Amino acid sequence: MTRRTEWPGSDAEPAPDPGAGPDYGTGSGGGFGEGAGRRARSRSRSSGSPSSSRAEKGEPRDPVEQARDICLRLLTGTPRTRKQLADALRKREIPDEAAEEVLSRFEDVGLIDDAAFADAWVESRHHGRGLARRALVRELRTKGVDSAVIDEAIGQLDSEQEEETARELVARKLRSTRGLDRDRRLRRLAGMLARKGYGEGMALRVVRQALEEEGEDAEGLEEPF
């Protein structure tokens, strides 16, 4: 008799709302699939579950079930991209066919949504950490997000908003540089912006304007890069 695999988001178990916006900056929050993760833990504690019975008898677990449980655990607490989950399944030696089946099903029910992940990542990391577009692109690429999806998410930020954030970052840091000579202040403040992904031209312009507004003579300051 063919065994039926239960999937999150089926008629028996409604899928979590993939639109919930977790806090990416802190790593806390519900994430896509928190409810599914709780259901998975509840099932795993049940002594009558098929997987528990097979484990007690020493029988090998179905790789699809293994892949599903691994993904649900990883999605509990924080969303992840498809590539992150695929890498985790590969590391645990889940067969490619089983991994592909589970990952595709999770995408179908909204538990994996790289576009939503990228949108939330840009929103959180720009407003929470002040990262510029260049830094955000680099981070999303390391997480395996497709270039077209990245471009769409980064489109949330325009150059004016990015420059305004750079000004806010400099304003918060400016006081701690008082007492230093002009060149060192320029290097320290512009270097801070560079580490967050801001371009040289914008960084110099924003820092010089901030120093001038404070009464410093910013003419003739050396280039920090």
Side-chain angles (χ1 to χ4, degrees):
M1 182 173 67
T2 302
R3 182 179 51 79
R4 178 177 176 272
T5 301
E6 292 186 9
W7 292 99
S10 65
D11 292 338
E13 298 180 355
D17 179 7
D23 181 354
Y24 287 79
T26 62
S28 62
F32 307 148
E34 182 181 41
R38 285 197 295 266
R39 292 194 296 272
R41 290 195 297 272
S42 177
R43 285 196 298 269
S44 67
R45 287 194 295 265
S46 174
S47 60
S49 66
S51 58
S52 297
S53 299
R54 283 195 297 271
E56 291 172 359
K57 296 177 181 178
E59 298 178 11
R61 289 188 61 194
D62 175 17
V64 171
E65 280 191 359
Q66 285 184 283
R68 182 194 61 189
D69 291 346
I70 290 168
C71 288
L72 287 175
R73 285 198 300 270
L74 291 173
L75 288 168
T76 300
T78 183
R80 298 176 192 269
T81 65
R82 179 174 177 131
K83 181 180 184 301
Q84 287 177 304
L85 293 172
D87 289 345
L89 295 178
R90 193 175 300 112
K91 183 177 180 180
R92 289 163 175 79
E93 300 183 347
I94 299 297
D96 290 343
E97 184 177 350
E100 180 65 24
E101 179 180 341
V102 171
L103 294 173
S104 295
R105 181 57 177 164
F106 272 42
E107 279 188 326
D108 290 343
V109 299
L111 290 174
I112 301 175
D113 189 337
D114 282 4
F117 179 98
D119 287 343
W121 188 270
V122 169
E123 174 72 15
S124 174
R125 298 287 283 176
H126 178 73
H127 293 291
R129 298 287 303 277
L131 298 187
R133 287 176 290 185
R134 185 166 59 183
L136 293 168
V137 168
R138 185 166 56 244
E139 289 186 340
L140 288 170
R141 281 177 178 165
T142 65
K143 296 182 180 300
V145 179
D146 183 77
S147 295
V149 174
I150 292 175
D151 290 343
E152 187 171 350
I154 294 298
Q156 298 177 42
L157 302 176
D158 56 33
S159 57
E160 291 183 2
Q161 183 177 356
E162 193 175 51
E163 185 162 335
E164 180 59 30
T165 301
R167 294 183 191 283
E168 293 172 359
L169 290 169
V170 170
R172 291 200 295 265
K173 188 76 172 176
L174 197 62
R175 179 178 295 182
S176 67
T177 66
R178 289 173 185 165
L180 301 176
D181 62 58
R182 294 179 309 161
D183 287 344
R184 290 182 66 189
R185 296 187 81 185
L186 178 68
R187 288 195 300 270
R188 182 166 297 184
L189 293 168
M192 178 268 295
L193 291 179
R195 288 190 295 275
K196 291 181 178 291
Y198 293 89
E200 178 179 350
M202 179 185 292
L204 289 174
R205 181 173 66 255
V206 168
V207 173
R208 282 185 169 132
Q209 288 175 352
L211 293 176
E212 288 172 353
E213 290 171 1
E214 200 180 53
E216 284 272 20
D217 181 6
E219 291 296 326
L221 287 174
E222 69 177 44
E223 303 295 321
F225 299 101

